[in-house]
Amino acid sequence: MKKPTITVIGSINMDLVTIAKRMPVQGETVLGEAFRLIPGGKGANQAVAAARLGADVHMIGAVGADMFGTELLQHLEKEGIVVDGVKPVTDVETGIATIVISEGDNRIIVVPGANHALCPDDLERWEEKIATSDVCLLQLEIPLPVVEQAVLIAKRHGVRVILNPAPAQPLPDTLLDQVDILTPNEHERDVVLAGRPMEKWAHKLIVTEGKRGVSFQRNGEWTLIPSFHVPVVDTTGAGDTFNGALAVALSKGMALEEACCYANAAAALSVTKLGAQTGMPTEKELESFLS
Ligand code: ADP
């Protein structure tokens, strides 16, 4: 059987994670417990999820000409992802997220950096790659005009587009009209469609609802595909795993309901381990979980 071919156009970040006993107050310095550098960014996370599940993944994005950029590219390559579509940028740093975790609370600052240096024209070189993909997978951590251009190219060639509208922002009607599938969580659904008739795009929605599972419309009725019960360690990256797995399942020709079940299972496995990418299952692990 032909391997699923997926183009992911999105963010590549290094997460700088600091764990401390308590948050410092303004002007205070506290000693931290631990520090970790963890590859992240919704685009990269979803690319890794799809690659682990056996897809040929082509990543389009941008990183800075710095230590993090080099490391993140090596990391993606180790996961078997083709990175020639990742643009090196010299005048801005690789995207980062500074995350401070303390007493079950977290504070996060994201600096998009190179991710925001990606421009619509960068995609023209990769038109052939996009055109020959089964699915083009997008999120909103890159400039909206790039997302719009990607959708335009993909639809020009009849390629299925999944847009994970995260982080949430209101989207133009034209974009909502063009994408095939939208995968918001409940909060993102409310922001993306705020003040607009949801019925118009309801047939494209697959709404992730955390431990409840996912909902979509079948013959005009909302249907819940329940999640799998697992011991939860860390839900970071559950949505990213879901999206990567959904792209793989649909590329393999599964119908929507079966694809949602497959993606629910992948996302459930991902929450049983710490970190966004650590718990993302391989094809084998997912198959044995489902058998
Ligand atoms: P996001 O991480 O984007 O906020 P959700 O929290 O809705 O997204 O989670 C995405 C998917 O991950 C869910 O639809 C479900 O399949 C799976 N998932 C999330 N939390 C759990 C959980 N506690 N147990 C099992 N599966 C989960």
Side-chain angles (χ1 to χ4, degrees), residues 185 208-211 213-214 227-228 230 232 235 238-239 242 264 267-268 271:
N185 61 23
T208 65
E209 299 177 13
K211 64 174 185 286
V214 288
S227 68
F228 291 79
V230 287
V232 180
T235 58
F242 182 89
N264 264 347
V271 306

Side-chain angles (χ1 to χ4, degrees), residues 2 22 27 35 41 94 102 121 124 144 153 160 165 167 177 179 194 223 235 248 271:
K2 183 187 154 292
R22 65 175 181 85
F35 173 75
T94 298
S102 170
D121 288 349
E124 299 308 325
L144 192 59
I153 294 173
R160 200 173 206 170
D177 288 342
V179 301
T223 309
T235 58
V248 171
V271 306

Side-chain angles (χ1 to χ4, degrees), residues 204-266:
K204 300 183 173 192
L205 288 175
I206 296 180
V207 183
T208 65
E209 299 177 13
K211 64 174 185 286
R212 268 167 49 81
V214 288
S215 291
F216 67 92
Q217 275 202 352
R218 192 171 42 189
N219 306 324
E221 293 285 327
W222 284 99
T223 309
L224 176 78
I225 310 288
S227 68
F228 291 79
H229 288 287
V230 287
V232 180
V233 174
D234 178 12
T235 58
T236 316
D240 291 336
T241 310
F242 182 89
N243 278 280
L246 182 72
V248 171
L250 293 173
S251 301
K252 284 182 170 175
M254 288 183 206
L256 207 52
E257 185 161 342
E258 192 190 354
C260 283
C261 185
Y262 180 90
N264 264 347

